[in-house]
Amino acid sequence: MIDIEKIVSSMTLDEKVHFVVGVGMLDHNDNPKGKVYGSAGETLEIKRLGLPNSVLADGPAGLRIYPEREGDDRTYYTTAFPVETMIASTWNREILWKVGEAMGEEVKEYGVDILLAPAVNIHRNPLCGRNFEYYSEDPLLSGEMAANFVMGLQAKGVGACVKHFVANEQETNRMTIDTIVSERALREIYLKPFEIVIKKARPWTIMSSYNKLKGYYTSENKWLLTNILREELGFEGFVMTDWFAGSNGAKQILAGNDLIMPGKSYQFLPHRTDETEDIFKALESGELSEKILDERIKKILSVLVKTPSYNSYSYSNSPDLKKHAEVSYEAGCEGVVLLKNNYALPISKDTPFVVFGTGQIETVRGGTGSGETHPEYTINLIDGINERNLNIDKEIVEFYSSKVKEFREGDYKISYGSWNEEIKPKLPENLFDRDDYEKISRRNDVAFIVISRISGEGKDRSLEKGDYYLTDDEKEMLRTVSEVFRSKGKKTVAVLNIGGPIEMESWKDYCDAILVLWQPGQEAGRIFADVIRGVVNPSGKLPTTFPRNYDDIPSKSFPGEPAENPVRVVYDEGIYVGYRYYDTFRVQPVYEFGFGLSYTEFEYSDLNLKKNGEKIVLSFKVKNTGNFAGKEVAQVYVKAPRVKIDKPYQELKAFEKTNLLAPGEEQRISIEIQYPELASYDGYNWVVEEGEYEFRIGSSSRDIRLVGKISL
């Protein structure tokens, strides 16, 4: 039995102060080089007490460490999994567990102790640059996905760090922006995914965020980190700051942060002092007691004693990357969302088809920043098609291969950003004239058009052509290809290689089918080829609303005021985030939350609904009535009575994904919903108001198949 009390009592005051602060950015100035090259930070090593340095590394789409090391012939590649938004599109808890487990093995076998993932911030606005790193606009879906990821990861004996706590829904001025949000919205929307993952998965660590909350940095907010996080939500692990967050190390310790990361912020932020100096001054003035410092250290140690480093685990540097590639592929296949299909998909293996768009070569596997990955390979769309031996127009493939190379060697050279990420100037897309398209259409039955987008940490997306909107040449390419192919009775399919919503209303009618491939990780091309061929039947559902027009969104205050340099952002939409707004105020999206088609059809029937003690028990049947084997996501929305508390039209309260159902096969889904899960926050307490509750079961938020009512 490890005696944490004895370890703490054996520490000198100097050791205590330095133990609650990271060792600084690794391999910078005179800071340590780090045990694992490319990791994000380390805790202090105290050899005389047997405390090794524990290693923390970035996460969501895969362990982020550098694949090559100076003087070392070995490589240290990691798996690039689909981005969080795509994994959430699976609505499959089992998939999240598998991804967490695979990532956990890589963390452990590469000598890392804690993965800085998952991120459970909310898709408040489609222009947030990091939405690809977040699961959903809905707190239940976000929390359930995160909880299963954490359970899978921590089952491998390493720790998760759930981030960013809390109300951190933008990158614009993220380190100083003051978020103004009602307590009801904070509790029902933004804290809820953290609550779910804490109670279901018991994550080892939580990361406080950069932003302020009503005037106070979240990392210096005692009400948030102590009263809410620990006392109300019951979090038992340790809290770390985001890198360089806040203004004062002592205030962060007092508020309830246990570990300040990465340490030595003054090396990058001249206005900051050394966090250890802040703490020493507070100890000398009496503002901070040694007793509180001891409590913080005990929280850290309660986690670190479980880590591989503390337990002298002999890591192999050889995780099973082949097996994990299969997990990445499976997750990506289930996360593809089919938005439209007028008899265009699937194609047969012999169907002659052509792919337009430079994204077929420069397929985007994921976003940039701390969510970037370093895999051994990325299978672009053409690689996947060729590997599956499909009947693609090879002449056009050769054209794009040489043209992309020509562009990148000419006026569109790749540069590198502050994260050492590639910055690729957007390439021209409409590279053929109408006569060319006419010739191409004569020898191909289907045209696929790839639209790619990328965003990343540190910058929000823009409401401009080439980002949220299609460029003029992308739209012209879509229009011309559609007209030419349709004139011959042939099909046009849009393939969206994106991290979040783009405007679609103005061009969706050009397409016979629309496939959201998201940013699918290293197996991108294999996933794409198998979906269009019908080897995989799409079963993904949107975890976020695609608005008809940007002006329709509820978060009109994004990214804050004043517009030219925001200092505060007011979440004036309150609880009406995403579909809660669109459904309540009868605003029609282009594709609603929870929407996604299949190559088959599903029928819902035989709803049983009853009260059982302090819970609602419901069950129903889902039957595959089509001709393809497939999976369906059954979603349960609840329309609550409006008595004293205003409420959204409906809210997601449960969901379940079926097994793979053969044509004609049916499955009975059984779900329990506890009464407290129906509660709303009235400003003081959680309240389940008396009245009639309508349980709405369907295939999306706007495709309700079964309805039952119960009075509480």
Side-chain angles (χ1 to χ4, degrees), residues 8-191:
V8 175
S9 65
S10 301
M11 285 182 169
T12 66
L13 184 60
D14 187 74
E15 286 172 334
K16 289 179 179 179
V17 170
H18 284 85
F19 192 72
V20 297
V21 179
V23 300
M25 285 298 284
L26 300 175
D27 204 19
H28 178 78
N29 288 357
D30 59 349
N31 300 343
K33 292 184 72 67
K35 286 198 296 189
V36 180
Y37 186 49
S39 59
E42 289 183 357
T43 60
L44 180 70
E45 178 183 25
I46 305 178
K47 289 183 179 179
R48 72 177 189 87
L49 296 177
L51 296 178
N53 46 341
S54 290
V55 181
L56 294 71
D58 285 321
L63 172 64
R64 191 174 76 95
I65 59 175
Y66 294 140
E68 297 177 354
R69 301 176 185 179
E70 189 176 345
D72 188 345
D73 292 335
R74 294 189 61 176
T75 54
Y76 301 82
Y77 293 112
T78 58
T79 305
F81 294 89
V83 296
E84 276 196 13
T85 301
M86 185 175 198
I87 293 183
S89 300
T90 70
W91 294 60
N92 188 330
R93 296 174 178 87
E94 183 181 338
I95 289 287
L96 269 292
W97 183 293
K98 286 183 178 180
V99 170
E101 196 172 39
M103 222 178 285
E105 185 190 333
E106 293 184 24
V107 169
K108 188 173 185 177
E109 293 306 326
Y110 277 134
V112 176
D113 298 291
I114 294 171
L115 185 72
L116 305 177
V120 297
N121 298 100
I122 294 295
H123 293 181
R124 175 179 178 254
N125 185 287
L127 297 184
C128 174
R130 276 181 102 174
N131 273 354
F132 71 94
E133 280 192 66
Y134 309 146
Y135 292 112
S136 174
E137 68 185 33
D138 182 77
L140 174 69
L141 181 58
S142 298
E144 287 291 325
M145 297 293 96
N148 283 272
F149 174 86
V150 169
M151 286 188 282
L153 181 92
Q154 293 189 169
K156 304 303 289 187
V158 295
C161 177
V162 185
K163 59 186 186 183
H164 310 85
F165 192 78
V166 64
N168 180 100
E169 276 74 39
Q170 66 186 66
E171 292 299 288
T172 302
N173 292 350
R174 62 178 181 163
M175 297 188 76
T176 56
I177 195 75
D178 187 8
T179 301
I180 310 300
V181 58
S182 72
E183 186 171 350
R184 181 183 178 191
L186 186 69
R187 288 178 177 273
E188 291 190 17
I189 305 296
Y190 301 100
L191 286 171

Side-chain angles (χ1 to χ4, degrees), residues 273-556:
T273 55
D274 191 321
E275 294 92 346
T276 59
E277 289 182 22
D278 296 336
I279 295 168
F280 275 122
K281 287 179 182 178
L283 286 167
E284 290 168 7
S285 69
E287 180 186 3
L288 174 65
S289 70
E290 190 172 351
K291 181 182 178 183
I292 290 176
L293 195 61
D294 288 350
E295 290 173 0
R296 304 293 179 262
I297 295 168
K298 290 172 188 175
K299 285 294 184 184
I300 298 171
L301 287 175
S302 69
V303 170
L304 295 191
V305 295
K306 299 186 285 188
T307 61
S309 288
Y310 186 86
N311 292 285
S312 303
Y313 178 72
S314 181
Y315 55 91
S316 67
N317 280 323
S318 298
D320 192 344
L321 297 181
K322 183 177 180 181
K323 179 181 177 183
H324 300 165
E326 293 171 359
V327 175
S328 180
Y329 166 82
E330 181 183 2
C333 286
E334 287 217 16
V336 173
V337 183
L338 181 62
L339 293 182
K340 182 177 181 179
N341 191 22
N342 292 335
Y343 307 104
L345 294 173
I347 62 173
S348 73
K349 188 171 184 179
D350 298 323
T351 301
F353 68 95
V354 62
V355 180
F356 296 110
T358 59
Q360 63 184 284
I361 305 296
E362 294 190 338
T363 306
V364 179
R365 69 168 179 264
T368 62
S370 59
E372 192 176 18
T373 53
H374 300 292
E376 184 175 4
Y377 61 83
T378 298
I379 304 294
N380 68 23
L381 301 193
I382 297 305
D383 293 336
I385 290 165
N386 287 335
E387 186 179 279
R388 295 321 197 226
N389 199 27
L390 302 184
N391 191 13
I392 190 171
D393 192 321
K394 290 182 169 52
E395 180 182 328
I396 303 305
V397 171
E398 287 301 318
F399 170 83
Y400 273 102
S401 297
S402 61
K403 201 67 179 174
V404 168
K405 183 179 180 182
E406 176 189 323
F407 283 144
R408 292 304 181 203
E409 291 175 351
D411 295 335
Y412 299 88
K413 287 184 172 65
I414 297 171
S415 59
Y416 293 87
S418 57
W419 292 87
N420 201 36
E421 76 277 14
E422 290 185 338
I423 299 176
K424 295 180 176 180
K426 183 151 182 57
L427 300 179
E429 291 291 357
N430 193 22
L431 304 179
F432 301 94
D433 60 28
R434 193 177 189 95
D435 287 342
D436 292 328
Y437 287 127
E438 287 283 355
K439 293 174 186 175
I440 296 167
S441 69
R442 293 188 194 112
R443 62 181 188 257
N444 292 287
D445 290 346
V446 181
F448 292 88
I449 298 176
V450 183
I451 305 294
S452 294
R453 294 290 186 270
I454 191 168
S455 64
E457 184 170 1
K459 183 180 180 181
D460 285 320
R461 295 174 57 197
S462 63
L463 202 62
E464 297 175 356
K465 295 175 182 179
D467 193 343
Y468 187 73
Y469 297 104
L470 296 195
T471 59
D472 290 340
D473 67 338
E474 284 174 328
K475 192 174 286 189
E476 180 62 20
M477 174 175 60
L478 260 172
R479 185 185 65 81
T480 307
V481 170
S482 175
E483 288 175 356
V484 169
F485 273 70
R486 284 179 170 177
S487 71
K488 297 177 177 60
K490 299 181 178 184
K491 304 293 186 179
T492 301
V493 180
V495 180
L496 304 185
N497 176 208
I498 57 179
I502 60 175
E503 189 276 328
M504 299 178 66
E505 178 65 19
S506 67
W507 56 265
K508 65 181 175 63
D509 290 342
Y510 296 148
C511 306
D512 300 294
I514 302 173
L515 201 62
V516 184
L517 191 63
W518 299 113
Q519 294 166 346
Q522 68 183 47
E523 303 298 311
R526 291 171 178 147
I527 294 164
F528 173 67
D530 288 349
V531 168
I532 66 171
R533 169 68 181 86
V535 174
V536 170
N537 186 352
S539 62
K541 303 279 187 174
L542 291 180
T544 196
T545 302
F546 278 50
R548 185 181 294 273
N549 297 296
Y550 183 80
D551 289 343
D552 291 339
I553 64 165
S555 52
K556 291 180 170 56

Side-chain angles (χ1 to χ4, degrees), residues 592-619:
E592 73 267 20
F593 176 81
F595 179 77
L597 301 174
S598 170
Y599 294 153
T600 192
E601 301 289 333
F602 295 97
E603 178 183 273
Y604 290 63
S605 65
D606 195 21
L607 172 64
N608 291 321
L609 183 65
K610 63 182 179 181
K611 292 184 279 190
N612 184 356
E614 293 295 303
K615 63 188 176 186
I616 304 293
V617 179
L618 63 154
S619 70

